[in-house]
Amino acid sequence: MLLRWAPNLLLGAFALADTKLYELGISKGVSKEGKQVISLNGKNDTVGPIIRVNSGDTLNLLVNNDICNANDYEQYGELYCDTSIHFHGVVLNNNGADLGVLHDGVPGVSQYSIPSGMSYWYNFTIPENLCGTYWYHSHSSVQYGDGLRGIFLVDCDYRQKYIERVIAKLEADGTDGTLLENLPPQGAKVPVQEVVMAVTDWYSKSSVEILSQVMSPYGGPDPSVEGSMMNGDTGSVKFEVAEGVEYVALRVINTGMSGTNVLHVEGHRLCVIETDGVLTKPYMIDTLSIAVGQRFTVLVKLNKEAPARVVHGCGKMMGYVTKTHWLLRPGQVAGDDYVGRVVHLPGLDKNEMYKQFVPLEGELLPEPSQQLSLDYEFDGDEAREPFGTTMYTVNGDTMQEFMPDGVLIEGARGVREPIPLHGGGVVEIAINSIDHMTHPWHMHGHTFQVVSVGRKRDGPLYFDNPESPAMKRYLADVAEWQDKVPMTRDTINIPGRSYAVIRLRADNPGFWLLHCHVEWHMAKGLGVVFAEGDALVSAVSKPFARQSDAAGASTALPEPSSTADAAATPTVSAVRAISTAADAPASSAAPATSQQQPSPEAAMPAASASKGKVLAIYLLIMCTLNVAIWLFFFR
Ligand SMILES: *[C@@H]1O[C@H](CO)[C@@H](O)[C@H](O)[C@H]1NC(C)=O
Ligand SMILES: *[C@@H]1O[C@H](CO)[C@@H](O)[C@H](O)[C@H]1NC(C)=O
């Protein structure tokens, strides 16, 4: 099928800073393959509407959680039913009353979970210097794999002008080079079309069902990837390119649960200009490798005559799931599927190209005033208490041990004190993979400079051991940076039995996660929580019951913790829902594919009686607690 792609020409003017209202309705749905999913605004293709704002805009996003009813709480529990939204890569400033950290969307760290039947506002201002390609997703359990995710785009004049200048350079010099330097001051006004490509892995079972296997006593952390998706479509996607368009700007986002993805546009070269919201000096490559959580913008000069065949590989344990997509001008038709092997694609480099993708601006951060090493490994020998399953550890602790039942930012503490980062200073963190697998690590609240990345089997890096292979590579890399800037981003793949060293300025006080973005590994505790500087404590807003629902709310659902919150919030109908079906990156009307078509029964996990009991007790305690709090404060 052809996508109905409203040509989105980049050469537009931008409005002044504005307040943008969005609304996300979250509910339980069933995909066209019969798999249980989480729908956003009623759509079941596991990728939500695009949220699009300008730098400097204020976003008012209303989230209405309707995933579960009381029976669902019994069956699936709060891990499935309660939610939150994280804006991946959107680094918000902490200024006075409007603390960015409060909108980071991590339950137990910066906010309370939003129970089903309740709502929550994410209201924040996009910093003027933040512009590029981001995404949003649930930070609760493994929900985003079931569909609680979408693309978040921030526009600005500066980025558009830069794209025009890079195109002027490509027009003048052709696409054969590598690093393009000395861009002309004036851009080229040629028609450019933006194409969003959200690539992910795919499973025949719902995430909540897979999770129960992963979290069983000796459950492995890597359920097998069974397929892949492009913009929520498990088939071959045909992108319609408007008449007269000469360049496409591909905005590529790996919104997957696991697995690095690979993209190649046959017969075309890719000009990389963005790594995770950071504009880069234009760098020409042939094949793009995208770790989970990463984003890139690449410019592609389209051939005039032939349609462009896009080869898409999604990494799995052994090899790749291979798909073919098309960029088609009016009248062009798709040809045959690619039958070659992804590993043979020209220029495929699965290592981070941290020396090639150089930021357009900025300089190497000064020598760090704090250095720390984090060793992570899969503690595969025994089920760890109190989790009842084998877990990952980082320096001996699992991430779950940092997260309290309350909210860290309000002063509650987990079993572990968060790791302190010296506020205001430059911090260098060595992340050491004791494990043999590649893991994508993501930092909240910051972008970081990638100072050094080991090759597979370089071993861990400890700053006090100058003789190790890792430390030798690191010292050589640091020497090289004296007149260059390292790749800057928020997510990075770390090779197995190796390390990465990231450098950042700890100028954003708050509680921030650094974690592996494979969601199965998150569930098994692969991450840490930092306490940066004097993490200011401010009023954390609470989820609230919608007025229309409040009267008839089921007593089995957790009650709002403050009735005052509910009274202060407007009704849902007062909000303009501007995220429409037309915003979605791809239509769901895909042709049937040769993918495994799971039966609808297979998609429903069996209820666990003991878990149900635990939950019933949990809900009872929560209700009692809420009544107690209510009596304490309002009597
Ligand atoms: C999504 O799934 C739900 C539950 O099966 C269904 O009611 C709804 O109509 C579906 N939405 C679309 C757009 O197909
Ligand atoms: C968020 O913005 C909405 C719409 O402007 C407003 O009604 C609401 O009170 C705000 N909520 C918070 C917690 O700031």
Side-chain angles (χ1 to χ4, degrees), residues 23-27 39-42 62-66:
E23 183 171 351
L24 278 183
I26 309 175
S27 57
S39 351
L40 291 184
N41 295 352
L62 177 62
V63 172
N64 298 318
N65 181 5
D66 285 304

Side-chain angles (χ1 to χ4, degrees), residues 28-30 39 42-44:
K28 198 158 71 204
V30 176
S39 351
K43 295 186 75 211
N44 301 326

Side-chain angles (χ1 to χ4, degrees), residues 5-229:
W5 191 273
N8 190 350
L9 300 186
L10 292 174
L11 311 174
F14 288 94
L16 293 170
D18 204 357
T19 296
K20 299 269 165 61
L21 286 171
Y22 275 86
E23 183 171 351
L24 278 183
I26 309 175
S27 57
K28 198 158 71 204
V30 176
S31 76
K32 59 183 183 296
E33 298 115 350
K35 178 168 111 169
Q36 181 179 315
V37 297
I38 295 178
S39 351
L40 291 184
N41 295 352
K43 295 186 75 211
N44 301 326
D45 44 11
T46 72
V47 57
I50 293 178
I51 295 181
R52 188 155 206 159
V53 296
N54 294 324
S55 302
D57 276 356
T58 296
L59 174 69
N60 286 178
L61 171 67
L62 177 62
V63 172
N64 298 318
N65 181 5
D66 285 304
I67 302 174
C68 292
N69 58 29
N71 289 340
D72 296 327
Y73 264 100
E74 274 279 308
Q75 189 174 2
Y76 306 115
E78 81 276 14
L79 282 183
Y80 179 72
C81 298
D82 295 358
T83 197
S84 62
I85 305 280
H86 170 60
F87 303 88
H88 183 120
V90 177
V91 174
L92 298 173
N93 307 326
N94 282 330
N95 52 11
D98 196 20
L99 284 175
V101 66
L102 297 181
H103 309 291
D104 197 47
V106 184
V109 174
S110 53
Q111 73 160 86
Y112 294 95
S113 290
I114 311 164
S116 290
M118 296 177 84
S119 295
Y120 191 77
W121 282 103
Y122 290 94
N123 293 357
F124 55 86
T125 299
I126 311 290
E128 289 289 350
N129 62 357
L130 191 139
C131 182
T133 311
Y134 304 89
W135 60 303
Y136 62 91
H137 60 80
S138 161
H139 223 291
S140 300
S141 186
V142 292
Q143 288 177 343
Y144 83 68
D146 282 336
L148 219 176
R149 60 184 161 199
I151 307 308
F152 190 94
L153 301 178
V154 183
D155 296 313
C156 60
D157 264 333
Y158 180 69
R159 178 186 156 96
Q160 306 305 62
K161 292 212 169 76
Y162 181 60
I163 287 174
E164 289 167 16
R165 286 177 61 210
V166 174
I167 288 175
K169 180 76 178 170
L170 290 168
E171 287 294 295
D173 292 11
T175 59
D176 289 339
T178 47
L179 179 66
L180 310 183
E181 289 186 285
N182 306 319
L183 299 188
Q186 281 302 314
K189 300 276 181 195
V190 303
V192 180
Q193 182 175 329
E194 182 175 281
V195 176
V196 171
M197 294 188 168
V199 290
T200 74
D201 50 350
W202 183 87
Y203 307 82
S204 61
K205 292 176 179 162
S206 71
S207 297
V208 64
E209 190 179 4
I210 296 170
L211 185 66
S212 67
Q213 296 160 9
V214 167
M215 298 304 278
S216 66
Y218 299 97
D222 294 295
S224 52
V225 171
E226 295 166 80
S228 67
M229 292 196 291

Side-chain angles (χ1 to χ4, degrees), residues 85 175 305 345 413 472 484 504:
I85 305 280
T175 59
E305 285 79 33
L345 287 173
R413 287 286 181 266
K472 282 183 178 151
K484 280 195 277 177
L504 56 91

